[in-house]
Amino acid sequence: MANGQWFPQDWPERIRALADGTLTPVAPKRAATVMLLKDTDGGPVVHMLRRRASMAFAGGAYAYPGGGVDPRDDDLHVRWAGPTRAWWAERLGVDETAAQAIVCAAVRETYEEAGVLLAGRTPDSVVGDITGADWEADRVAVATRELSFAEFLDRRGLVLRSDLLGAWTRWITPEFESRRYDTWFFVAALPEGQRTRNASTEADRTVWIRPADAAASYDKGELLMMPPTIATLRRLVPYATAAEALAAAPGRDLTPVLAQARLEEGEVVLSWPGHDEFTKHIPTEATGVRGAADAAGAAGVTDVTDATRGGVA
């Protein structure tokens, strides 16, 4: 396997339908994912999870904790600390309600899937060890949607620490996909006193790994990843500490990366603007739809956003 990627078998047909005007793109749902960092003697490492091999979508692929926005992330007033909702709205390119929902989703999904909570009892504090049985009961209630994140914060007397997040990049699922997500990627540092664990029902393994090592393993075909995952890993390599990466986040360009596809002389041509390494030419006439899908899987292309769900997607 050289940079092996899962590839939806219906992509060539859907791309053709989009080009013919017979396919109407679905509206992407909002989502968020978090690249959780911690410092080591060898430099910062990032927390990643591996999707279960039995998963229909991208089984075995490595991703970050993340997922879709819960409608209640919009509707309920979340206890808040750090930059204002107006500041986040300008940074993320959305209105204030959506900004709260996206930031809330990032913090909530990190708690649900990694057991890490970016919240404190005061605007300048962060909770410590949260591995007790009562905390776990609350985490499960949030994950199963029995308890909204706003209600959870109220119950615990906590405020969401939005200042512990840095917006890093944004990817949108291709227009020809049947499930689409508009996903914001964030960076954050592991709070002191907390530790990660595999709390996701969709993952069978979690690791802390240096971005450069993960990227090298991807290049050798040893780790399966999606385009946004490997793209963000490569952008993290230059930073010597988690704090440096967080300090760089405000200057990052959040122009959405939207995969483009077209049928051209018997080929499906896939490209991600600004990410030439993912551009692929997959023959359709010689191999057929299934063969094209297999060829693309070997070449390294896939849905750009479902991978971020830790699920996120």
Side-chain angles (χ1 to χ4, degrees):
M1 178 183 71
N3 299 354
Q5 298 283 344
W6 182 83
F7 182 82
Q9 293 183 0
D10 63 346
W11 264 23
E13 291 180 351
R14 296 186 66 84
I15 292 168
R16 182 177 292 106
L18 183 66
D20 292 343
T22 58
L23 176 67
T24 301
V26 299
K29 298 179 180 180
R30 295 165 301 164
T33 189
V34 176
M35 299 176 286
L36 195 61
L37 304 171
K38 72 175 180 180
D39 292 325
T40 70
D41 292 340
V45 290
V46 62
H47 178 71
M48 303 188 75
L49 53 84
R50 184 178 66 185
R51 291 172 59 82
R52 295 183 182 278
S54 59
M55 297 291 291
F57 177 85
Y62 282 78
Y64 311 114
V69 166
D70 180 339
R72 295 173 299 180
D73 295 338
D74 287 270
D75 298 339
L76 301 178
H77 189 80
V78 175
R79 294 165 62 99
W80 193 272
T84 65
R85 291 168 177 81
W87 184 93
W88 277 107
E90 182 176 358
R91 177 70 180 119
L92 301 179
V94 297
D95 61 34
E96 291 188 29
T97 299
Q100 172 185 285
I102 293 161
V103 172
C104 185
V107 175
R108 175 178 50 74
E109 288 287 340
T110 303
Y111 181 46
E112 290 180 15
E113 299 195 338
V116 170
L117 183 58
L118 304 177
R121 302 197 182 282
T122 63
D124 58 356
S125 68
V126 186
V127 293
D129 184 11
I130 54 172
T131 57
D134 58 334
W135 282 101
E136 177 61 11
D138 278 354
R139 188 200 65 78
V140 171
V142 171
T144 58
R145 302 298 184 263
E146 295 177 17
L147 187 67
S148 75
F149 197 62
E151 292 167 338
F152 161 72
L153 293 175
D154 284 343
R155 174 186 294 186
R156 288 282 177 175
L158 300 173
V159 293
L160 181 153
R161 289 286 306 275
S162 74
D163 55 313
L164 300 182
L165 288 171
W168 194 257
T169 191
R170 180 182 177 185
W171 289 65
I172 301 178
T173 311
E175 291 184 336
F176 50 82
E177 259 289 21
S178 57
R179 293 183 302 167
R180 301 188 64 216
Y181 295 90
D182 186 350
T183 303
W184 282 261
F185 286 68
F186 296 85
V187 290
L190 179 70
E192 184 176 353
Q194 294 192 39
R195 60 180 184 270
T196 57
R197 60 192 177 86
N198 182 11
S200 172
T201 59
E202 298 179 347
D204 61 9
R205 182 189 183 198
T206 62
V207 297
W208 284 100
I209 188 169
R210 292 175 62 241
D213 292 340
S217 294
Y218 167 88
D219 290 336
K220 291 184 288 187
E222 297 171 352
L223 293 184
L224 183 69
M225 296 182 202
M226 307 297 172
T229 308
I230 182 59
T232 50
L233 280 171
R234 296 200 197 283
R235 299 300 190 271
L236 288 173
V237 170
Y239 300 100
T241 66
E244 284 188 15
L246 279 165
R252 294 277 305 168
D253 183 9
L254 293 187
T255 301
V257 179
L258 174 62
Q260 300 173 351
R262 64 186 185 276
L263 292 170
E264 186 176 281
E265 297 180 355
E267 290 184 326
V268 173
V269 181
L270 289 161
S271 63
W272 282 257
H275 300 272
D276 291 343
E277 71 169 297
F278 304 130
T279 299
K280 301 298 174 186
H281 298 255
I282 306 109
T284 57
E285 294 179 354
T287 60
V289 171
R290 182 174 296 273
D294 294 340
V301 293
T302 186
D303 179 291
V304 297
T305 310
D306 272 358
T308 66
R309 294 184 61 187
V312 165

